[in-house]
Amino acid sequence: MTTIATTNPATGEVEKTFDALTDEEVDRRIARAANTFASYRTTGVEQRAEWMNAAADILDREADQIAAMLTTEMGKTLKAAGAEAQKCAKACRFYAGHAAEFLADRRPADAAAVGARDAYVRYQPLGPVLAIMPWNFPLWQVIRFAAPGLMAGNVGLLKHSSNVPQTALFLEDLFRRAGFPEGAFQTLLIGSSKVERVLRDPRVRAATLTGSEPAGRSVAAIAGDEVKPTVLELGGSDPFVVMPSADIEAAESRCLNNGQSCISAKRFIAGIDCADEFERLFVENMRAKKVGDPMDDSTDIGPLVSEEGRADVEDLVTDAVAKGATVLCGGERPDGPGWFYPPTVISGVTPEMRMYHEEVFGPVASLFRVRGVSEAVEVANATGFGLGSNAWTRDDVERERFVRELDAGQVFINGMVTSYPELPFGGVKRSGYGRELSEEGLHAFCNTKTVWAG
């Protein structure tokens, strides 16, 4: 039986437990979602925008309390949790301000060219959408679906990770307090074993998942069997390429969200002519980060989310070292309570090591040296993942090659991969398919209806 509970990663102590919903209650909530959709879809975009802006106001007003809840449930630093709440408010306002434009009828062709008096595309909502969301950004991952989804006229059913139940319940309450109709956004406190039953329900019209590759495969298979659209954002092992022409001191990224971020760079690839200097600066920076109480403002890195999560990181590091890799800093868990792990840099990683192919979900970086752009691209693309990628160069020719040849859903030049409401977000290869955010994120769960009028 799945335990639905808040367990503080800084102490390992269970702080609050919750009962899973019964099958009967899940059915009632699905029915409520379907009934609400029948009327909610007819509300004006202006009315939805008013409610969405009210949600943004709540997020801003209660950012401190929200941050403490996120930190308690999954261990990110309090500063990072507060920034997450503010980012969510920004996304709500973005969609409140742009949904009318994104949903406007589009005329892709001259009507006379298709023998019509008028011809256009109209975007209409699909219905209840099941959102299966992870713990690492427990607020943001949900909002980046919910804000465009609700503004498009869909309603949401949230199956959140079982270790962030308070955040899951807060999200349902957030939209209710903002004025959205009862049933427009509901949380389902259920274990993973109950997801298939919800996804196969004919009243549920689509699904979105952010999470692991195995979870994505399972949801995609079920949804495919039911012929329902899905958006999948899965893992990432982002390359971080640094060429000799780069501003090397600016090029550093690994410990976002205690290293538990799909778009946090994990494989650092330095040109041979700058590799020594980059390694020195990078190791110094990682070694200087303070690991400790995530509620303390001076802390850089809090605990990993769970004992299992830390063990997974340790296993990957142990495997690499046993096969010849070198630990340049970190690599050993500290004594004491909680699931802490130090910032770690490893060199000499080869294809025989699990770390070369698998995502390390913790503050561990692997360091590679390459001779030129071609080898950098080869190493960067030598993974099944394709979510984000970074390239640092001040050479315009190199820049264009990285944009053209890095096999990822996003390429950031001279900056860290970040998700913005204004830009599409998603991956290729084993990192998933479909796009969230921007206009594409709103259209993801719309019927793109062609209208031809003679």
Side-chain angles (χ1 to χ4, degrees):
M1 181 176 178
T2 300
T3 300
I4 299 177
T6 297
T7 302
N8 191 330
T11 64
E13 299 295 324
V14 176
E15 300 206 354
K16 198 168 185 179
T17 60
F18 298 80
D19 293 329
L21 296 181
T22 64
D23 289 347
E24 292 75 19
E25 179 58 26
V26 171
D27 285 340
R28 280 193 289 272
R29 292 186 177 224
I30 296 173
R32 187 181 302 140
N35 290 335
T36 298
F37 174 68
S39 57
Y40 178 67
R41 65 180 300 176
T42 67
T43 58
V45 176
E46 296 78 11
Q47 175 63 80
R48 297 175 206 161
E50 181 180 324
W51 293 331
M52 193 60 70
N53 279 320
D57 291 342
I58 294 170
L59 289 166
D60 277 337
R61 189 168 59 245
E62 300 179 10
D64 290 345
Q65 303 96 295
I66 295 168
M69 176 179 63
L70 301 187
T71 298
T72 298
E73 289 211 297
M74 56 69 58
K76 68 176 65 206
T77 64
L78 195 63
K79 184 188 303 182
E84 183 171 340
Q86 292 165 352
K87 183 173 184 174
C88 290
K90 179 184 175 182
C92 289
R93 292 195 174 94
F94 173 80
Y95 279 105
H98 289 83
E101 168 195 345
F102 294 162
L103 292 169
D105 291 347
R106 181 171 62 89
R107 287 171 168 78
D110 178 67
V114 294
R117 178 178 55 82
D118 195 8
Y120 55 94
V121 171
R122 176 160 296 177
Y123 298 100
Q124 295 182 316
L126 295 179
V129 180
L130 174 63
I132 305 156
M133 293 290 129
W135 49 263
N136 59 334
F137 291 92
L139 205 67
W140 170 241
Q141 305 277 19
V142 178
I143 291 294
R144 74 186 194 193
F145 150 72
L150 288 170
M151 286 306 302
N154 295 299
V155 300
L157 292 164
L158 171 64
K159 190 287 179 211
H160 218 323
S161 183
S162 293
N163 62 332
V164 290
Q166 293 186 65
T167 305
L169 293 170
F170 165 78
L171 282 155
E172 178 178 312
D173 190 52
L174 168 69
F175 291 113
R176 182 186 300 114
R177 290 164 57 197
F180 286 91
E182 193 78 20
F185 193 91
Q186 300 175 85
T187 286
L188 305 178
L189 286 185
I190 56 175
S192 298
S193 64
K194 300 290 187 179
V195 168
E196 180 171 357
R197 182 173 178 274
V198 177
L199 187 49
R200 288 193 183 278
D201 191 296
R203 294 167 294 186
V204 174
R205 299 293 301 276
T208 179
L209 177 141
T210 298
S212 69
E213 186 181 342
R217 289 178 184 275
S218 175
V219 166
I222 296 165
D225 190 49
E226 295 290 339
V227 198
K228 294 181 180 180
T230 53
V231 171
L232 302 182
E233 193 267 278
L234 309 180
S237 189
D238 286 11
F240 189 102
V241 181
V242 182
M243 300 309 293
S245 67
D247 179 359
I248 295 175
E249 292 194 6
E252 189 276 322
S253 165
R254 180 59 192 99
C255 296
L256 173 68
N257 204 41
N258 304 339
Q260 300 166 120
S261 169
C262 296
I263 57 171
S264 183
K266 300 175 177 72
R267 298 176 298 122
F268 292 76
I269 303 163
I272 197 73
D273 293 335
C274 66
D276 287 345
E277 179 68 0
F278 177 73
E279 178 182 305
R280 182 185 66 79
L281 292 170
F282 186 40
V283 171
E284 283 180 2
N285 193 311
M286 291 284 275
R287 190 179 282 130
K289 292 188 182 298
K290 180 181 176 182
V291 180
D293 181 0
M295 293 289 187
D296 187 331
D297 285 342
S298 67
T299 294
D300 297 309
I301 300 175
L304 299 190
V305 71
S306 66
E307 188 172 16
E308 180 183 7
R310 182 172 66 175
D312 289 344
V313 171
E314 288 178 316
D315 287 347
L316 289 168
V317 172
T318 298
D319 173 78
V321 171
K323 294 173 181 174
T326 301
V327 175
L328 302 179
C329 68
E332 294 184 5
R333 71 160 72 176
D335 295 329
W339 301 309
F340 296 90
Y341 196 80
T344 299
V345 180
I346 297 179
S347 65
V349 175
T350 63
E352 292 74 32
M353 302 170 189
R354 291 176 55 202
M355 187 180 294
Y356 192 91
H357 306 283
E358 298 180 31
E359 179 179 24
V360 187
F361 222 54
V364 177
S366 52
L367 193 58
F368 301 85
R369 295 170 180 245
V370 295
R371 287 179 165 80
V373 175
S374 295
E375 189 178 355
V377 169
E378 181 181 350
V379 174
N381 290 341
T383 172
F385 296 108
L387 188 54
S389 58
N390 305 261
W392 295 76
T393 177
R394 286 181 282 205
D395 183 294
D396 289 342
V397 175
E398 290 179 346
R399 167 183 170 156
E400 182 54 35
R401 282 199 64 186
F402 287 128
V403 170
R404 183 176 67 247
E405 297 179 22
L406 288 176
D407 200 2
Q410 298 140 103
V411 177
F412 276 58
I413 306 294
N414 299 329
M416 317 303 183
V417 176
T418 306
S419 54
Y420 295 96
E422 297 86 350
L423 297 175
F425 182 88
V428 296
K429 301 194 289 187
R430 283 165 42 208
S431 289
Y433 53 75
R435 291 294 179 266
E436 299 177 291
L437 300 177
S438 191
E439 186 171 357
E440 287 84 350
L442 187 142
H443 291 163
F445 297 113
C446 283
N447 173 16
T448 302
K449 181 181 285 186
T450 296
V451 180
W452 185 99

